[in-house]
Amino acid sequence: MKKLFSTKMTLGYSLLLLLAVILRFNQLSNPMLGEREAAIALQAAGSQTGLSGELPGTSGITALLGLVFFVLGKNEFTARLLPAIFGSLLIFAPLLFRKELGDKTVILLSILFMFDPGFVAFSRHVDGAIITVCGFLFAVGFVLHRRYGFAGIAAGFALLGSSVLWPGVLASGLAFWLTYSIKNSRASSGSGETVPPVAFEKNDLINAGLALILTVGLVGSLFFTRLIGIAAPILNLTAYFAGWLTSTEISPFLILFSFILYQPFILIAGLVEGLRTVRSGDRMNAFLMRWFYLAVLLMLIYPSRGMDSILFAYIPLLVLAARCILRIIESLEQPDIPAWGQMVLVILLVPFSWMNILAIQFPIDGEEEPLRLLASAGALGLLIVASFLIRMGWPPRQGKTGLWMGLAVLIAIFTFSTAWRSAGLGKHPEAELWNYDGITDQMDLLQKTAGDLSEWNVSSREGINIVLLNYSSHALEWSLKDFTSVSKDSSLPNLSNPAIVITADEDVPSLAQAYRGQDFVLNRKTSWPLIMPEEWIKWYAFRELPQETHQVILWARTDLFPGAAKTAPATITPIQ
């Protein structure tokens, strides 16, 4: 039986890994890098322009990316490769907690980790947050298994990844102390309510410490080629403390609202399971609930909060939800024909009612709203009547089983859809909260246009000279990284004749006389502060919200185009 179970686990996790890879690697190069992503990538590539705008607390991830760029080259795929790999490996972290949580809970937790929108989104961002989450979980799991060398390596990656480690450690550590270290806490009963003490011997601490130091020293410094990376753990801690002195525009209430927007069923299941702590005295649940509350509290009061601030709050919430889902599954009977029939009714009638509600909220010309309202109410009424008849004619638990089975299918579809959109694979990736600062758009077209002009005139797609005129953008610099002559200037000197000039989206009369201009959308961003309450329904259904765009203009000299006059204006010297 043990061998058979092990084989099933292997096949199951192979399938989970395949699905995780599809969600995290599918179209990984799209969209192009945003401002923060590009800044980190430019630092990792050793670009002087990128170094001038170095972001605090990113030394560790830039060192890791530097090695990837050295081996595989610089592009969007390689820039996001490491987060995608760590995000895929994250589904295996629950296996290290089988003794504490049980096999069935661990399997459910791996599934929830795979589909969690936050984990999926940050697995596709040039950011070290998911590396930190993965390293933290593996480090704790290896400690419980007394694999201190591996724990040190995992902790090293957690320290290198991101500054989100520190509030995560603070929240989980304080919750653990409040739950397990207070002598006057209530005695627990039942399995899974106590945590076995971990005894550290001197050699164990030495092994863990050496592994951590070697990981930070070698990987963080890119094998001693980027020495600043050795200080990444300290710089991340400093960046976290510095965040208490600055603020961001993202509202804490919007981040709180994201739990309802992306994980309503997980939130309900997790909170319901946590509330059982009051009656059952389950210390594991008490620890997880305290961890969740403290993580959310630290996010709310932290001035420099971002969407990555809630990643550590998702960990205890997902564990609680997995335990709740397991209890529901174990309370159900083996489904019979009535249960399967009720499941089909739920799957058909609930979406039918939802689609009619959408048609009422967003009416179509030629359709009558009263009929839509009647159809929606009729579908729900039919479901209620059918459920009542099933309960009266067959064992009540069969009706309960069918209802939960139908809801489980709908929740699974909703969860997969949400994860797919969070990965940026939907039609409106800028409408995802994980892309709060917007997405880069049309820079591939700008890059191609500049490459065509270069090929027509200097027989090379990267040789033409480009000037960024009084304009700074990491995303724009990243899109032009392959061009050999890109410079920044605050103004064009007299008699200067750069082949291509890129400016902000505004009229430049001095350029218009000798250049032709074409505008490109640099950034598409959702106007989050302007969203009205009723627009959230449209967001849920179509991910459509008010947008704002930021454009740049590419100015090309008139003599660069095929068939242009051989003589240019007096102030312009044609390219030879």
Side-chain angles (χ1 to χ4, degrees):
M1 287 296 295
K2 184 176 181 181
K3 182 179 180 182
L4 179 62
F5 181 74
S6 179
T7 302
K8 289 182 179 179
M9 287 280 285
T10 301
L11 292 176
Y13 270 91
S14 298
L15 178 59
L16 286 181
L17 180 61
L18 176 61
L19 292 175
V21 168
I22 291 174
L23 277 175
R24 288 156 177 81
F25 282 85
N26 186 25
Q27 299 182 36
L28 190 59
S29 299
N30 295 319
M32 300 188 72
L33 301 190
E35 287 295 330
R36 177 179 170 82
E37 291 182 291
I40 297 174
L42 287 170
Q43 292 168 209
S47 170
Q48 293 299 320
T49 55
L51 290 173
S52 64
E54 186 167 347
L55 298 174
T58 58
S59 298
I61 183 64
T62 54
L64 294 171
L65 284 180
L67 179 60
V68 176
F69 286 164
F70 177 77
V71 176
L72 301 176
K74 298 177 290 185
N75 53 61
E76 278 73 14
F77 181 86
T78 56
R80 294 175 175 139
L81 180 61
L82 279 177
I85 292 175
F86 277 88
S88 300
L89 293 177
L90 189 61
I91 66 171
F92 296 105
L95 289 173
L96 297 173
F97 301 89
R98 292 172 67 177
K99 184 177 180 181
E100 291 74 26
L101 299 176
D103 289 329
K104 295 179 181 178
T105 303
V106 160
I107 294 172
L108 287 172
L109 186 58
S110 294
I111 295 173
L112 296 182
F113 274 12
M114 179 186 64
F115 286 115
D116 180 78
F119 292 162
V120 171
F122 278 93
S123 297
R124 298 172 62 92
H125 284 189
V126 184
D127 192 284
I130 199 66
I131 297 176
T132 291
V133 171
C134 188
F136 172 82
L137 289 175
F138 273 97
V140 174
F142 283 132
V143 167
L144 294 177
H145 285 266
R146 302 181 186 277
R147 297 294 189 91
Y148 298 107
F150 289 113
I153 295 174
F157 279 101
L159 288 167
L160 289 172
S162 171
S163 60
V164 298
L165 172 67
W166 302 108
V169 169
L170 180 60
S172 58
L174 185 56
F176 186 88
W177 179 78
L178 290 173
T179 306
Y180 293 102
S181 299
I182 298 179
K183 295 181 179 180
N184 294 330
S185 61
R186 291 183 300 172
S188 60
S189 61
S191 62
E193 296 183 1
T194 60
V195 174
V198 180
F200 294 99
E201 297 181 0
K202 183 178 180 180
N203 289 337
D204 296 332
L205 292 175
I206 292 175
N207 291 336
L210 286 176
L212 189 152
I213 292 173
L214 287 174
T215 302
V216 173
L218 293 177
V219 179
S221 67
L222 195 56
F223 298 96
F224 303 110
T225 61
R226 195 184 185 101
L227 295 180
I228 187 63
I230 298 177
I234 303 301
L235 295 176
N236 285 342
L237 179 60
T238 303
Y240 175 68
F241 283 125
W244 287 96
L245 304 177
T246 58
S247 61
T248 58
E249 64 176 12
I250 184 169
S251 168
F253 303 104
L254 187 59
I255 299 182
L256 277 180
F257 194 40
S258 69
F259 285 102
I260 299 176
L261 293 177
Y262 286 96
Q263 295 280 51
F265 308 108
I266 295 299
L267 178 64
I268 294 172
L271 292 180
V272 168
E273 180 68 16
L275 292 176
R276 290 184 64 251
T277 304
V278 179
R279 293 184 301 167
S280 65
D282 189 325
R283 296 180 73 187
M284 175 68 78
N285 280 1
F287 160 64
L288 294 170
M289 280 299 291
R290 286 169 177 156
W291 182 0
F292 176 70
Y293 289 149
L294 289 171
V296 172
L297 177 62
L298 285 175
M299 178 274 298
L300 291 176
I301 64 176
Y302 189 55
S304 295
R305 71 189 71 84
M307 291 306 300
D308 57 352
S309 302
I310 63 173
L311 291 182
F312 270 90
Y314 271 123
I315 298 174
L317 184 64
L318 291 172
V319 178
L320 287 168
R323 302 188 84 188
C324 181
I325 294 171
L326 180 61
R327 282 197 308 104
I328 294 174
I329 293 175
E330 291 178 341
S331 69
L332 303 178
E333 290 184 345
Q334 188 73 19
D336 205 347
I337 293 179
W340 289 106
Q342 187 177 23
M343 182 191 75
V344 173
L345 284 176
V346 172
I347 295 174
L348 294 177
L349 296 180
V350 172
F352 178 79
S353 179
W354 168 249
M355 294 301 294
N356 280 281
I357 291 175
L358 288 180
I360 295 172
Q361 183 68 27
F362 309 105
I364 302 174
D365 293 338
E367 295 190 359
E368 299 182 7
E369 293 185 18
L371 293 178
R372 289 287 187 178
L373 181 60
L374 182 62
S376 179
L380 293 179
L382 178 60
L383 179 59
I384 293 173
V385 171
S387 299
F388 179 76
L389 293 177
I390 291 173
R391 184 178 181 87
M392 294 294 294
W394 284 272
R397 294 186 66 179
Q398 282 296 320
K400 176 183 176 183
T401 299
L403 179 62
W404 279 113
M405 288 170 59
L407 290 176
V409 172
L410 295 180
I411 291 173
I413 295 173
F414 173 85
T415 302
F416 179 80
S417 174
T418 302
W420 185 266
R421 289 170 168 177
S422 297
L425 300 174
K427 293 183 178 180
H428 301 284
E430 73 283 352
E432 304 298 332
L433 268 172
W434 318 109
N435 298 322
Y436 185 86
D437 294 324
I439 62 167
T440 300
D441 193 21
Q442 294 189 357
M443 287 301 96
D444 53 341
L445 298 178
L446 183 146
Q447 185 184 58
K448 184 178 183 302
T449 300
D452 290 341
L453 290 170
S454 180
E455 187 173 14
W456 294 337
N457 291 275
V458 297
S459 300
S460 167
R461 293 196 64 84
E462 297 86 22
I464 200 166
N465 62 313
I466 302 174
V467 173
L468 306 183
L469 183 59
N470 198 26
Y471 188 78
S472 178
S473 167
H474 294 299
L476 180 58
E477 292 175 36
W478 173 260
S479 66
L480 299 174
K481 64 185 182 304
D482 294 329
F483 289 86
T484 57
S485 178
V486 180
S487 60
K488 293 181 180 180
D489 283 300
S490 58
S491 62
L492 292 180
N494 293 333
L495 301 181
S496 176
N497 64 331
I500 295 176
V501 179
I502 298 178
T503 69
D505 183 20
E506 57 187 21
D507 294 330
V508 184
S510 60
L511 291 179
Q513 297 175 5
Y515 289 75
R516 296 180 187 176
Q518 173 64 53
D519 61 307
F520 295 90
V521 176
L522 173 62
N523 180 272
R524 278 192 291 125
K525 180 180 179 181
T526 297
S527 305
W528 298 105
L530 303 179
I531 298 175
M532 303 299 293
E534 61 272 11
E535 291 179 313
W536 287 113
I537 299 178
K538 194 172 185 179
W539 180 90
Y540 254 119
F542 312 111
R543 287 301 198 270
E544 293 180 2
L545 288 173
Q547 295 181 17
E548 57 187 50
T549 60
H550 184 199
Q551 297 179 322
V552 295
I553 299 179
L554 183 148
W555 299 89
R557 278 187 10 200
T558 55
D559 62 315
L560 299 182
F561 297 93
K566 296 300 182 181
T567 58
T571 58
I572 297 298
T573 303
I575 287 182
Q576 301 298 324

